[in-house]
Amino acid sequence: MPVFAANLTMMFNEWAFLDRFDAAADAGFAAVEYLFPYGATPEAIADRLARNNLQQALFNLPPGDWAAGERGIAALPGRFDALKADVERALDYAAATGVRRLHLMAGIADPHDEDAVSCYRRSVTYAAGRLAEKGIDLLLEPINGRNMPGYFLNDFGAAERLIAECGLPNLKLQFDIYHHQIIHGDVTMALRRLLSITGHIQIASVPSRNEPDGEELNYAYLFGEIDRLGYDGFIGCEYIPRGHTLDGLGWFKPFARS
Ligand SMILES: O=C(O)C(=O)[C@H](O)CO
Ligand SMILES: [Mg+2]
């Protein structure tokens, strides 16, 4: 069975960020992920991981000016120098946390714009090459347009084609089941087709993005399918708890670390 990673950006918001590591470990998680570690020092995060015996499953490279609406800069012309600096900053945190996969956000851009397409490919190629030097995978995640209007990478087929064209062994798909269901549906057949290029999976209910224990997806079936397909990576719990985080962990009890 894969290892579930608590997403500390979405879950455990009842605690301050660094205390969420302790709360997730106490709740039985063996791994964590979050969007961005950059509000804390690498040392502080490394300390929380060590004292809670947690694995760092994933985090994102810096996304540009998030508060101003940026959702990554990889597809934004004129930002390549900033992207290179962001890669180095993320690698500092990767060295401290031992993470082996990083997600590169593309940005708000037209996927049919030639400049954006060539800029994105240049950014992906550069970042994957730099991460490969450290034995780290670079992940690309298609995101649905309801949650992130105008996001450049909004289709799993486009991600699949780019990964194939680049042919880089450490360039992989971040398969967020929540996004795939909204964009394409047909999750099981997509998992069977794409698992060989998948570096990370994330889960949430659809349409509310809550705990994976209700609404239109049957996660008990999907967890079994992921197991049958032999996936042994992490599954990121990137969901918004309906109420208190701890009250919504009934689904997790069979998988919790004792
Ligand atoms: O939006 C998602 O599903 C993600 O995983 C991104 O990393 C953050 O927006
Ligand atoms: Mg996701």
Side-chain angles (χ1 to χ4, degrees), residues 162-225:
L162 179 63
I163 290 168
E165 286 165 12
C166 289
L168 299 169
N170 73 320
L171 181 61
K172 298 179 181 175
L173 178 69
Q174 181 166 314
F175 195 124
D176 189 325
I177 291 175
Y178 169 79
H179 292 308
H180 196 284
Q181 176 65 6
I182 291 172
I183 298 169
H184 305 289
D186 205 21
V187 168
T188 301
M189 298 311 287
L191 283 169
R192 291 177 184 173
R193 191 179 85 252
L194 297 174
L195 214 59
S196 61
I197 64 167
T198 293
H200 190 66
I201 293 175
Q202 293 174 317
I203 58 174
S205 76
V206 179
S208 303
R209 206 171 195 177
N210 296 139
E211 287 83 351
D213 61 4
E215 298 193 314
E216 68 188 53
L217 287 173
N218 179 343
Y219 271 106
Y221 172 82
L222 291 174
F223 293 160
E225 183 67 16

Side-chain angles (χ1 to χ4, degrees), residues 14 211 213 241-251 253:
E14 297 87 359
E211 287 83 351
D213 61 4
R242 286 183 292 266
H244 192 291
T245 300
L246 297 181
D247 295 339
L249 288 179
W251 71 272
K253 278 197 173 39

Side-chain angles (χ1 to χ4, degrees), residues 3-231:
V3 177
F4 289 95
N7 185 298
L8 302 185
T9 302
M10 312 271 269
M11 301 170 70
F12 297 98
N13 279 216
E14 297 87 359
W15 288 265
F17 180 69
L18 288 174
D19 294 332
R20 296 176 194 173
F21 290 76
D22 305 68
D26 292 348
F29 284 95
V32 295
E33 65 172 39
Y34 32 76
L35 269 60
F36 313 111
Y38 310 108
T41 65
E43 297 73 24
I45 292 180
D47 171 62
R48 295 299 176 118
L49 290 168
R51 78 186 199 189
N52 289 292
N53 188 25
L54 289 168
Q55 295 180 81
Q56 182 65 56
L58 168 92
F59 56 82
N60 295 353
L61 283 117
D65 187 344
W66 187 271
E70 292 190 326
R71 294 295 180 267
I73 62 173
L76 305 187
R79 306 290 288 272
F80 189 61
D81 287 344
L83 177 108
K84 289 192 287 186
D86 286 346
V87 168
E88 298 311 311
R89 188 172 187 213
L91 285 175
D92 289 343
Y93 282 81
T97 62
V99 74
R100 310 310 304 155
R101 58 201 65 73
L102 297 174
H103 170 215
L104 175 67
M105 297 191 73
I108 306 298
D110 179 354
H112 306 293
D113 176 273
E114 283 181 19
D115 286 344
V117 170
S118 60
C119 183
Y120 184 60
R121 185 159 186 156
R122 183 189 186 198
S123 298
V124 167
T125 305
Y126 172 83
R130 189 73 184 93
L131 266 53
E133 296 168 15
K134 306 292 184 184
I136 296 172
D137 289 342
L138 183 73
L139 307 187
L140 306 180
E141 180 192 45
I143 295 176
N144 82 77
R146 183 163 69 225
N147 283 93
M148 208 169 280
Y151 191 70
F152 175 81
L153 188 64
N154 57 15
D155 178 272
F156 279 70
E160 183 184 4
R161 285 189 297 276
L162 179 63
I163 290 168
E165 286 165 12
C166 289
L168 299 169
N170 73 320
L171 181 61
K172 298 179 181 175
L173 178 69
Q174 181 166 314
F175 195 124
D176 189 325
I177 291 175
Y178 169 79
H179 292 308
H180 196 284
Q181 176 65 6
I182 291 172
I183 298 169
H184 305 289
D186 205 21
V187 168
T188 301
M189 298 311 287
L191 283 169
R192 291 177 184 173
R193 191 179 85 252
L194 297 174
L195 214 59
S196 61
I197 64 167
T198 293
H200 190 66
I201 293 175
Q202 293 174 317
I203 58 174
S205 76
V206 179
S208 303
R209 206 171 195 177
N210 296 139
E211 287 83 351
D213 61 4
E215 298 193 314
E216 68 188 53
L217 287 173
N218 179 343
Y219 271 106
Y221 172 82
L222 291 174
F223 293 160
E225 183 67 16
I226 289 167
D227 239 5
R228 282 187 293 276
L229 291 169
Y231 176 76

